[in-house]
Amino acid sequence: MKMRKGFTLVELLIVIIIIGILAAAMLLSSGSASDSAAATAALSEMRAIKAAVVMHAANAGGRLNVKSVDINLVSNDMEKPTVIVSKYEVGVKNDGEAVVVLKTNQIPGGAEEKLLQNPAIEKGAGTYPDGHASVTAANRPVMKFNMVVVR
């Protein structure tokens, strides 16, 4: 028998096809992972804003004076701190229902869909006054909570 060196063309093509399939699978899953990361970050920031509003109200005797709410939530990057509250709005109705609303086009659409799958988040409806204007929550991801409101 004659000993051969190297690989045949068919063997090389099979290996290239397998590598291509694996690369395609990784690319598809990386998009999903980045959407999940963006949704998790948005949920975390919404919870932090909610906590800040609740603490602000607790310092004011359990009441929320909507005109005095000014949240400056900053990322914890000490080298380059960035204000992240600009992606969100806070609004409160007269009955005490408060919301943190994610503004339009702040995270990718896939991430917004994943965010809406969380039980703490729902699709908003209507508007909430914020002391200066009104916060529109129609079809936006919102996190609702209740407050005692002073206007």
Side-chain angles (χ1 to χ4, degrees), residues 58-96:
N59 286 339
R63 297 180 181 275
L64 179 64
N65 186 341
V66 177
K67 294 178 183 174
S68 71
V69 175
D70 182 22
I71 304 167
N72 290 314
L73 185 61
V74 179
S75 68
N76 56 0
D77 180 4
M78 296 304 169
E79 298 285 324
K80 289 187 201 173
T82 55
V83 177
I84 57 176
V85 76
S86 61
K87 296 193 315 190
Y88 306 95
E89 293 179 293
V90 177
V92 182
K93 288 186 176 178
N94 286 332
D95 63 358

PDB file of all heavy atoms in Angstrom, residues 58-96:
ATOM      1  N   ALA A  58     -38.823  58.955  51.671  1.00  0.00           N
ATOM      2  CA  ALA A  58     -38.666  58.599  53.088  1.00  0.00           C
ATOM      3  C   ALA A  58     -38.024  59.747  53.868  1.00  0.00           C
ATOM      4  O   ALA A  58     -38.393  60.014  55.009  1.00  0.00           O
ATOM      5  CB  ALA A  58     -37.826  57.338  53.214  1.00  0.00           C
ATOM      6  N   ASN A  59     -37.077  60.422  53.245  1.00  0.00           N
ATOM      7  CA  ASN A  59     -36.454  61.577  53.902  1.00  0.00           C
ATOM      8  C   ASN A  59     -37.420  62.739  54.043  1.00  0.00           C
ATOM      9  O   ASN A  59     -37.217  63.617  54.865  1.00  0.00           O
ATOM     10  CB  ASN A  59     -35.217  62.045  53.126  1.00  0.00           C
ATOM     11  CG  ASN A  59     -34.058  61.106  53.303  1.00  0.00           C
ATOM     12  OD1 ASN A  59     -34.002  60.347  54.258  1.00  0.00           O
ATOM     13  ND2 ASN A  59     -33.136  61.145  52.353  1.00  0.00           N
ATOM     14  N   ALA A  60     -38.470  62.743  53.225  1.00  0.00           N
ATOM     15  CA  ALA A  60     -39.464  63.813  53.277  1.00  0.00           C
ATOM     16  C   ALA A  60     -40.696  63.366  54.052  1.00  0.00           C
ATOM     17  O   ALA A  60     -41.799  63.824  53.778  1.00  0.00           O
ATOM     18  CB  ALA A  60     -39.838  64.222  51.864  1.00  0.00           C
ATOM     19  N   GLY A  61     -40.543  62.458  54.998  1.00  0.00           N
ATOM     20  CA  GLY A  61     -41.653  62.022  55.835  1.00  0.00           C
ATOM     21  C   GLY A  61     -42.604  61.070  55.136  1.00  0.00           C
ATOM     22  O   GLY A  61     -43.777  61.015  55.473  1.00  0.00           O
ATOM     23  N   GLY A  62     -42.119  60.331  54.157  1.00  0.00           N
ATOM     24  CA  GLY A  62     -42.956  59.364  53.470  1.00  0.00           C
ATOM     25  C   GLY A  62     -43.779  59.941  52.345  1.00  0.00           C
ATOM     26  O   GLY A  62     -44.609  59.265  51.763  1.00  0.00           O
ATOM     27  N   ARG A  63     -43.542  61.200  52.035  1.00  0.00           N
ATOM     28  CA  ARG A  63     -44.291  61.845  50.956  1.00  0.00           C
ATOM     29  C   ARG A  63     -43.329  62.255  49.851  1.00  0.00           C
ATOM     30  O   ARG A  63     -42.182  62.580  50.106  1.00  0.00           O
ATOM     31  CB  ARG A  63     -45.027  63.070  51.484  1.00  0.00           C
ATOM     32  CG  ARG A  63     -46.058  62.718  52.517  1.00  0.00           C
ATOM     33  CD  ARG A  63     -46.770  63.983  53.004  1.00  0.00           C
ATOM     34  NE  ARG A  63     -47.745  63.680  54.006  1.00  0.00           N
ATOM     35  CZ  ARG A  63     -48.987  63.299  53.753  1.00  0.00           C
ATOM     36  NH1 ARG A  63     -49.404  63.169  52.525  1.00  0.00           N
ATOM     37  NH2 ARG A  63     -49.825  63.039  54.720  1.00  0.00           N
ATOM     38  N   LEU A  64     -43.832  62.256  48.650  1.00  0.00           N
ATOM     39  CA  LEU A  64     -43.014  62.609  47.505  1.00  0.00           C
ATOM     40  C   LEU A  64     -43.502  63.931  46.935  1.00  0.00           C
ATOM     41  O   LEU A  64     -44.610  64.028  46.443  1.00  0.00           O
ATOM     42  CB  LEU A  64     -43.090  61.518  46.429  1.00  0.00           C
ATOM     43  CG  LEU A  64     -42.302  61.780  45.156  1.00  0.00           C
ATOM     44  CD1 LEU A  64     -40.815  61.830  45.474  1.00  0.00           C
ATOM     45  CD2 LEU A  64     -42.580  60.713  44.129  1.00  0.00           C
ATOM     46  N   ASN A  65     -42.677  64.950  47.061  1.00  0.00           N
ATOM     47  CA  ASN A  65     -42.968  66.229  46.422  1.00  0.00           C
ATOM     48  C   ASN A  65     -42.389  66.141  45.017  1.00  0.00           C
ATOM     49  O   ASN A  65     -41.179  66.216  44.823  1.00  0.00           O
ATOM     50  CB  ASN A  65     -42.328  67.377  47.203  1.00  0.00           C
ATOM     51  CG  ASN A  65     -42.725  68.726  46.644  1.00  0.00           C
ATOM     52  OD1 ASN A  65     -43.182  68.827  45.504  1.00  0.00           O
ATOM     53  ND2 ASN A  65     -42.560  69.753  47.445  1.00  0.00           N
ATOM     54  N   VAL A  66     -43.254  65.956  44.054  1.00  0.00           N
ATOM     55  CA  VAL A  66     -42.815  65.677  42.693  1.00  0.00           C
ATOM     56  C   VAL A  66     -41.921  66.782  42.158  1.00  0.00           C
ATOM     57  O   VAL A  66     -40.960  66.533  41.445  1.00  0.00           O
ATOM     58  CB  VAL A  66     -44.036  65.461  41.767  1.00  0.00           C
ATOM     59  CG1 VAL A  66     -43.599  65.237  40.342  1.00  0.00           C
ATOM     60  CG2 VAL A  66     -44.845  64.288  42.255  1.00  0.00           C
ATOM     61  N   LYS A  67     -42.180  68.009  42.522  1.00  0.00           N
ATOM     62  CA  LYS A  67     -41.385  69.115  41.994  1.00  0.00           C
ATOM     63  C   LYS A  67     -39.957  69.113  42.532  1.00  0.00           C
ATOM     64  O   LYS A  67     -39.089  69.754  41.987  1.00  0.00           O
ATOM     65  CB  LYS A  67     -42.067  70.441  42.326  1.00  0.00           C
ATOM     66  CG  LYS A  67     -43.388  70.593  41.598  1.00  0.00           C
ATOM     67  CD  LYS A  67     -44.073  71.872  41.957  1.00  0.00           C
ATOM     68  CE  LYS A  67     -45.414  71.921  41.249  1.00  0.00           C
ATOM     69  NZ  LYS A  67     -46.217  73.048  41.644  1.00  0.00           N
ATOM     70  N   SER A  68     -39.701  68.398  43.612  1.00  0.00           N
ATOM     71  CA  SER A  68     -38.361  68.419  44.204  1.00  0.00           C
ATOM     72  C   SER A  68     -37.507  67.219  43.800  1.00  0.00           C
ATOM     73  O   SER A  68     -36.369  67.131  44.212  1.00  0.00           O
ATOM     74  CB  SER A  68     -38.466  68.458  45.731  1.00  0.00           C
ATOM     75  OG  SER A  68     -38.920  67.209  46.204  1.00  0.00           O
ATOM     76  N   VAL A  69     -38.073  66.306  42.999  1.00  0.00           N
ATOM     77  CA  VAL A  69     -37.312  65.114  42.629  1.00  0.00           C
ATOM     78  C   VAL A  69     -36.327  65.459  41.510  1.00  0.00           C
ATOM     79  O   VAL A  69     -36.709  65.928  40.460  1.00  0.00           O
ATOM     80  CB  VAL A  69     -38.240  63.973  42.171  1.00  0.00           C
ATOM     81  CG1 VAL A  69     -37.437  62.797  41.666  1.00  0.00           C
ATOM     82  CG2 VAL A  69     -39.125  63.551  43.310  1.00  0.00           C
ATOM     83  N   ASP A  70     -35.064  65.272  41.795  1.00  0.00           N
ATOM     84  CA  ASP A  70     -34.020  65.467  40.789  1.00  0.00           C
ATOM     85  C   ASP A  70     -32.996  64.381  41.035  1.00  0.00           C
ATOM     86  O   ASP A  70     -32.224  64.450  41.982  1.00  0.00           O
ATOM     87  CB  ASP A  70     -33.387  66.852  40.931  1.00  0.00           C
ATOM     88  CG  ASP A  70     -32.335  67.099  39.868  1.00  0.00           C
ATOM     89  OD1 ASP A  70     -32.382  66.427  38.829  1.00  0.00           O
ATOM     90  OD2 ASP A  70     -31.476  67.963  40.082  1.00  0.00           O
ATOM     91  N   ILE A  71     -33.016  63.353  40.210  1.00  0.00           N
ATOM     92  CA  ILE A  71     -32.156  62.194  40.426  1.00  0.00           C
ATOM     93  C   ILE A  71     -30.942  62.310  39.535  1.00  0.00           C
ATOM     94  O   ILE A  71     -31.056  62.543  38.343  1.00  0.00           O
ATOM     95  CB  ILE A  71     -32.907  60.891  40.096  1.00  0.00           C
ATOM     96  CG1 ILE A  71     -34.184  60.809  40.908  1.00  0.00           C
ATOM     97  CG2 ILE A  71     -32.027  59.688  40.341  1.00  0.00           C
ATOM     98  CD1 ILE A  71     -35.112  59.742  40.434  1.00  0.00           C
ATOM     99  N   ASN A  72     -29.782  62.158  40.104  1.00  0.00           N
ATOM    100  CA  ASN A  72     -28.548  62.096  39.333  1.00  0.00           C
ATOM    101  C   ASN A  72     -27.898  60.751  39.604  1.00  0.00           C
ATOM    102  O   ASN A  72     -27.073  60.629  40.487  1.00  0.00           O
ATOM    103  CB  ASN A  72     -27.596  63.230  39.722  1.00  0.00           C
ATOM    104  CG  ASN A  72     -28.116  64.565  39.258  1.00  0.00           C
ATOM    105  OD1 ASN A  72     -28.548  64.695  38.125  1.00  0.00           O
ATOM    106  ND2 ASN A  72     -28.103  65.549  40.134  1.00  0.00           N
ATOM    107  N   LEU A  73     -28.302  59.750  38.866  1.00  0.00           N
ATOM    108  CA  LEU A  73     -27.741  58.420  39.010  1.00  0.00           C
ATOM    109  C   LEU A  73     -26.532  58.328  38.090  1.00  0.00           C
ATOM    110  O   LEU A  73     -26.636  58.514  36.898  1.00  0.00           O
ATOM    111  CB  LEU A  73     -28.783  57.367  38.628  1.00  0.00           C
ATOM    112  CG  LEU A  73     -28.395  55.923  38.831  1.00  0.00           C
ATOM    113  CD1 LEU A  73     -28.110  55.639  40.297  1.00  0.00           C
ATOM    114  CD2 LEU A  73     -29.492  55.012  38.331  1.00  0.00           C
ATOM    115  N   VAL A  74     -25.373  58.080  38.679  1.00  0.00           N
ATOM    116  CA  VAL A  74     -24.119  58.089  37.926  1.00  0.00           C
ATOM    117  C   VAL A  74     -23.547  56.678  37.930  1.00  0.00           C
ATOM    118  O   VAL A  74     -23.630  55.959  38.920  1.00  0.00           O
ATOM    119  CB  VAL A  74     -23.124  59.090  38.565  1.00  0.00           C
ATOM    120  CG1 VAL A  74     -21.812  59.088  37.825  1.00  0.00           C
ATOM    121  CG2 VAL A  74     -23.719  60.480  38.594  1.00  0.00           C
ATOM    122  N   SER A  75     -22.939  56.300  36.804  1.00  0.00           N
ATOM    123  CA  SER A  75     -22.310  54.987  36.736  1.00  0.00           C
ATOM    124  C   SER A  75     -21.168  54.927  37.737  1.00  0.00           C
ATOM    125  O   SER A  75     -20.595  55.947  38.113  1.00  0.00           O
ATOM    126  CB  SER A  75     -21.780  54.726  35.325  1.00  0.00           C
ATOM    127  OG  SER A  75     -20.701  55.583  35.044  1.00  0.00           O
ATOM    128  N   ASN A  76     -20.801  53.733  38.171  1.00  0.00           N
ATOM    129  CA  ASN A  76     -19.757  53.603  39.185  1.00  0.00           C
ATOM    130  C   ASN A  76     -18.363  53.460  38.584  1.00  0.00           C
ATOM    131  O   ASN A  76     -17.477  52.917  39.208  1.00  0.00           O
ATOM    132  CB  ASN A  76     -20.062  52.444  40.139  1.00  0.00           C
ATOM    133  CG  ASN A  76     -20.241  51.133  39.405  1.00  0.00           C
ATOM    134  OD1 ASN A  76     -20.132  51.081  38.191  1.00  0.00           O
ATOM    135  ND2 ASN A  76     -20.527  50.085  40.143  1.00  0.00           N
ATOM    136  N   ASP A  77     -18.166  53.993  37.396  1.00  0.00           N
ATOM    137  CA  ASP A  77     -16.842  54.038  36.779  1.00  0.00           C
ATOM    138  C   ASP A  77     -16.164  55.316  37.277  1.00  0.00           C
ATOM    139  O   ASP A  77     -16.522  56.420  36.875  1.00  0.00           O
ATOM    140  CB  ASP A  77     -16.972  54.045  35.256  1.00  0.00           C
ATOM    141  CG  ASP A  77     -15.633  54.098  34.548  1.00  0.00           C
ATOM    142  OD1 ASP A  77     -14.594  54.061  35.244  1.00  0.00           O
ATOM    143  OD2 ASP A  77     -15.622  54.174  33.310  1.00  0.00           O
ATOM    144  N   MET A  78     -15.207  55.181  38.176  1.00  0.00           N
ATOM    145  CA  MET A  78     -14.573  56.353  38.781  1.00  0.00           C
ATOM    146  C   MET A  78     -13.685  57.119  37.790  1.00  0.00           C
ATOM    147  O   MET A  78     -13.444  58.290  37.954  1.00  0.00           O
ATOM    148  CB  MET A  78     -13.735  55.944  40.006  1.00  0.00           C
ATOM    149  CG  MET A  78     -14.557  55.368  41.112  1.00  0.00           C
ATOM    150  SD  MET A  78     -15.845  56.524  41.586  1.00  0.00           S
ATOM    151  CE  MET A  78     -16.831  55.518  42.637  1.00  0.00           C
ATOM    152  N   GLU A  79     -13.207  56.425  36.752  1.00  0.00           N
ATOM    153  CA  GLU A  79     -12.361  57.092  35.756  1.00  0.00           C
ATOM    154  C   GLU A  79     -13.194  58.051  34.904  1.00  0.00           C
ATOM    155  O   GLU A  79     -12.809  59.180  34.672  1.00  0.00           O
ATOM    156  CB  GLU A  79     -11.696  56.041  34.850  1.00  0.00           C
ATOM    157  CG  GLU A  79     -10.783  55.096  35.579  1.00  0.00           C
ATOM    158  CD  GLU A  79      -9.467  55.754  35.942  1.00  0.00           C
ATOM    159  OE1 GLU A  79      -8.976  56.560  35.156  1.00  0.00           O
ATOM    160  OE2 GLU A  79      -8.948  55.447  37.027  1.00  0.00           O
ATOM    161  N   LYS A  80     -14.339  57.565  34.408  1.00  0.00           N
ATOM    162  CA  LYS A  80     -15.213  58.366  33.551  1.00  0.00           C
ATOM    163  C   LYS A  80     -16.655  58.182  33.996  1.00  0.00           C
ATOM    164  O   LYS A  80     -17.401  57.404  33.400  1.00  0.00           O
ATOM    165  CB  LYS A  80     -15.112  57.912  32.096  1.00  0.00           C
ATOM    166  CG  LYS A  80     -13.842  58.228  31.403  1.00  0.00           C
ATOM    167  CD  LYS A  80     -14.019  57.848  29.938  1.00  0.00           C
ATOM    168  CE  LYS A  80     -12.723  57.631  29.249  1.00  0.00           C
ATOM    169  NZ  LYS A  80     -12.878  57.124  27.910  1.00  0.00           N
ATOM    170  N   PRO A  81     -17.094  58.850  35.050  1.00  0.00           N
ATOM    171  CA  PRO A  81     -18.484  58.688  35.472  1.00  0.00           C
ATOM    172  C   PRO A  81     -19.442  59.279  34.432  1.00  0.00           C
ATOM    173  O   PRO A  81     -19.176  60.332  33.877  1.00  0.00           O
ATOM    174  CB  PRO A  81     -18.554  59.453  36.791  1.00  0.00           C
ATOM    175  CG  PRO A  81     -17.394  60.357  36.775  1.00  0.00           C
ATOM    176  CD  PRO A  81     -16.356  59.775  35.876  1.00  0.00           C
ATOM    177  N   THR A  82     -20.510  58.583  34.145  1.00  0.00           N
ATOM    178  CA  THR A  82     -21.502  59.076  33.202  1.00  0.00           C
ATOM    179  C   THR A  82     -22.874  59.046  33.861  1.00  0.00           C
ATOM    180  O   THR A  82     -23.190  58.129  34.613  1.00  0.00           O
ATOM    181  CB  THR A  82     -21.549  58.203  31.931  1.00  0.00           C
ATOM    182  OG1 THR A  82     -21.777  56.855  32.309  1.00  0.00           O
ATOM    183  CG2 THR A  82     -20.252  58.290  31.159  1.00  0.00           C
ATOM    184  N   VAL A  83     -23.673  60.056  33.583  1.00  0.00           N
ATOM    185  CA  VAL A  83     -25.027  60.119  34.121  1.00  0.00           C
ATOM    186  C   VAL A  83     -25.899  59.191  33.283  1.00  0.00           C
ATOM    187  O   VAL A  83     -25.963  59.320  32.068  1.00  0.00           O
ATOM    188  CB  VAL A  83     -25.575  61.556  34.087  1.00  0.00           C
ATOM    189  CG1 VAL A  83     -27.006  61.597  34.569  1.00  0.00           C
ATOM    190  CG2 VAL A  83     -24.699  62.474  34.917  1.00  0.00           C
ATOM    191  N   ILE A  84     -26.554  58.222  33.945  1.00  0.00           N
ATOM    192  CA  ILE A  84     -27.363  57.253  33.211  1.00  0.00           C
ATOM    193  C   ILE A  84     -28.855  57.514  33.374  1.00  0.00           C
ATOM    194  O   ILE A  84     -29.656  56.871  32.727  1.00  0.00           O
ATOM    195  CB  ILE A  84     -27.040  55.811  33.649  1.00  0.00           C
ATOM    196  CG1 ILE A  84     -27.231  55.630  35.140  1.00  0.00           C
ATOM    197  CG2 ILE A  84     -25.649  55.421  33.235  1.00  0.00           C
ATOM    198  CD1 ILE A  84     -27.021  54.232  35.638  1.00  0.00           C
ATOM    199  N   VAL A  85     -29.219  58.476  34.191  1.00  0.00           N
ATOM    200  CA  VAL A  85     -30.636  58.730  34.413  1.00  0.00           C
ATOM    201  C   VAL A  85     -31.283  59.369  33.182  1.00  0.00           C
ATOM    202  O   VAL A  85     -32.493  59.352  33.045  1.00  0.00           O
ATOM    203  CB  VAL A  85     -30.845  59.594  35.678  1.00  0.00           C
ATOM    204  CG1 VAL A  85     -30.491  61.031  35.412  1.00  0.00           C
ATOM    205  CG2 VAL A  85     -32.254  59.462  36.196  1.00  0.00           C
ATOM    206  N   SER A  86     -30.508  59.877  32.251  1.00  0.00           N
ATOM    207  CA  SER A  86     -31.089  60.520  31.078  1.00  0.00           C
ATOM    208  C   SER A  86     -31.857  59.531  30.201  1.00  0.00           C
ATOM    209  O   SER A  86     -32.629  59.943  29.344  1.00  0.00           O
ATOM    210  CB  SER A  86     -30.000  61.204  30.262  1.00  0.00           C
ATOM    211  OG  SER A  86     -29.058  60.246  29.825  1.00  0.00           O
ATOM    212  N   LYS A  87     -31.672  58.235  30.410  1.00  0.00           N
ATOM    213  CA  LYS A  87     -32.414  57.229  29.649  1.00  0.00           C
ATOM    214  C   LYS A  87     -33.808  56.999  30.216  1.00  0.00           C
ATOM    215  O   LYS A  87     -34.606  56.309  29.609  1.00  0.00           O
ATOM    216  CB  LYS A  87     -31.676  55.886  29.661  1.00  0.00           C
ATOM    217  CG  LYS A  87     -30.343  55.926  28.971  1.00  0.00           C
ATOM    218  CD  LYS A  87     -29.737  54.565  28.708  1.00  0.00           C
ATOM    219  CE  LYS A  87     -29.758  53.586  29.795  1.00  0.00           C
ATOM    220  NZ  LYS A  87     -28.944  52.378  29.550  1.00  0.00           N
ATOM    221  N   TYR A  88     -34.117  57.567  31.379  1.00  0.00           N
ATOM    222  CA  TYR A  88     -35.355  57.259  32.087  1.00  0.00           C
ATOM    223  C   TYR A  88     -36.082  58.534  32.487  1.00  0.00           C
ATOM    224  O   TYR A  88     -35.497  59.594  32.582  1.00  0.00           O
ATOM    225  CB  TYR A  88     -35.053  56.451  33.363  1.00  0.00           C
ATOM    226  CG  TYR A  88     -34.232  55.229  33.078  1.00  0.00           C
ATOM    227  CD1 TYR A  88     -32.853  55.257  33.198  1.00  0.00           C
ATOM    228  CD2 TYR A  88     -34.832  54.056  32.652  1.00  0.00           C
ATOM    229  CE1 TYR A  88     -32.085  54.147  32.910  1.00  0.00           C
ATOM    230  CE2 TYR A  88     -34.076  52.938  32.361  1.00  0.00           C
ATOM    231  CZ  TYR A  88     -32.707  52.991  32.493  1.00  0.00           C
ATOM    232  OH  TYR A  88     -31.958  51.890  32.199  1.00  0.00           O
ATOM    233  N   GLU A  89     -37.379  58.381  32.738  1.00  0.00           N
ATOM    234  CA  GLU A  89     -38.183  59.459  33.295  1.00  0.00           C
ATOM    235  C   GLU A  89     -38.955  58.906  34.487  1.00  0.00           C
ATOM    236  O   GLU A  89     -39.282  57.716  34.515  1.00  0.00           O
ATOM    237  CB  GLU A  89     -39.178  59.983  32.260  1.00  0.00           C
ATOM    238  CG  GLU A  89     -38.527  60.673  31.087  1.00  0.00           C
ATOM    239  CD  GLU A  89     -39.545  61.160  30.076  1.00  0.00           C
ATOM    240  OE1 GLU A  89     -40.196  60.308  29.449  1.00  0.00           O
ATOM    241  OE2 GLU A  89     -39.678  62.382  29.939  1.00  0.00           O
ATOM    242  N   VAL A  90     -39.238  59.773  35.459  1.00  0.00           N
ATOM    243  CA  VAL A  90     -40.029  59.384  36.631  1.00  0.00           C
ATOM    244  C   VAL A  90     -41.286  60.231  36.629  1.00  0.00           C
ATOM    245  O   VAL A  90     -41.217  61.448  36.471  1.00  0.00           O
ATOM    246  CB  VAL A  90     -39.239  59.621  37.939  1.00  0.00           C
ATOM    247  CG1 VAL A  90     -40.105  59.284  39.147  1.00  0.00           C
ATOM    248  CG2 VAL A  90     -37.968  58.806  37.949  1.00  0.00           C
ATOM    249  N   GLY A  91     -42.423  59.582  36.772  1.00  0.00           N
ATOM    250  CA  GLY A  91     -43.688  60.300  36.830  1.00  0.00           C
ATOM    251  C   GLY A  91     -44.563  59.737  37.929  1.00  0.00           C
ATOM    252  O   GLY A  91     -44.428  58.580  38.320  1.00  0.00           O
ATOM    253  N   VAL A  92     -45.472  60.592  38.449  1.00  0.00           N
ATOM    254  CA  VAL A  92     -46.355  60.181  39.541  1.00  0.00           C
ATOM    255  C   VAL A  92     -47.750  60.725  39.262  1.00  0.00           C
ATOM    256  O   VAL A  92     -47.914  61.895  38.930  1.00  0.00           O
ATOM    257  CB  VAL A  92     -45.860  60.741  40.899  1.00  0.00           C
ATOM    258  CG1 VAL A  92     -46.756  60.259  42.020  1.00  0.00           C
ATOM    259  CG2 VAL A  92     -44.430  60.366  41.153  1.00  0.00           C
ATOM    260  N   LYS A  93     -48.767  59.858  39.408  1.00  0.00           N
ATOM    261  CA  LYS A  93     -50.157  60.298  39.288  1.00  0.00           C
ATOM    262  C   LYS A  93     -50.638  60.794  40.647  1.00  0.00           C
ATOM    263  O   LYS A  93     -50.020  60.539  41.677  1.00  0.00           O
ATOM    264  CB  LYS A  93     -51.043  59.145  38.807  1.00  0.00           C
ATOM    265  CG  LYS A  93     -50.830  58.778  37.361  1.00  0.00           C
ATOM    266  CD  LYS A  93     -51.843  57.724  36.933  1.00  0.00           C
ATOM    267  CE  LYS A  93     -51.699  57.432  35.465  1.00  0.00           C
ATOM    268  NZ  LYS A  93     -52.630  56.390  35.014  1.00  0.00           N
ATOM    269  N   ASN A  94     -51.780  61.490  40.654  1.00  0.00           N
ATOM    270  CA  ASN A  94     -52.326  62.026  41.904  1.00  0.00           C
ATOM    271  C   ASN A  94     -52.707  60.942  42.896  1.00  0.00           C
ATOM    272  O   ASN A  94     -52.729  61.176  44.098  1.00  0.00           O
ATOM    273  CB  ASN A  94     -53.542  62.906  41.615  1.00  0.00           C
ATOM    274  CG  ASN A  94     -53.148  64.228  41.016  1.00  0.00           C
ATOM    275  OD1 ASN A  94     -52.056  64.725  41.272  1.00  0.00           O
ATOM    276  ND2 ASN A  94     -54.016  64.797  40.201  1.00  0.00           N
ATOM    277  N   ASP A  95     -53.023  59.733  42.423  1.00  0.00           N
ATOM    278  CA  ASP A  95     -53.415  58.665  43.337  1.00  0.00           C
ATOM    279  C   ASP A  95     -52.208  57.978  43.974  1.00  0.00           C
ATOM    280  O   ASP A  95     -52.356  57.036  44.737  1.00  0.00           O
ATOM    281  CB  ASP A  95     -54.294  57.637  42.623  1.00  0.00           C
ATOM    282  CG  ASP A  95     -53.576  56.927  41.482  1.00  0.00           C
ATOM    283  OD1 ASP A  95     -52.407  57.246  41.198  1.00  0.00           O
ATOM    284  OD2 ASP A  95     -54.201  56.045  40.858  1.00  0.00           O
ATOM    285  N   GLY A  96     -50.984  58.431  43.650  1.00  0.00           N
ATOM    286  CA  GLY A  96     -49.783  57.875  44.257  1.00  0.00           C
ATOM    287  C   GLY A  96     -49.090  56.813  43.439  1.00  0.00           C
ATOM    288  O   GLY A  96     -48.051  56.306  43.840  1.00  0.00           O
TER     289      GLY A  96
END
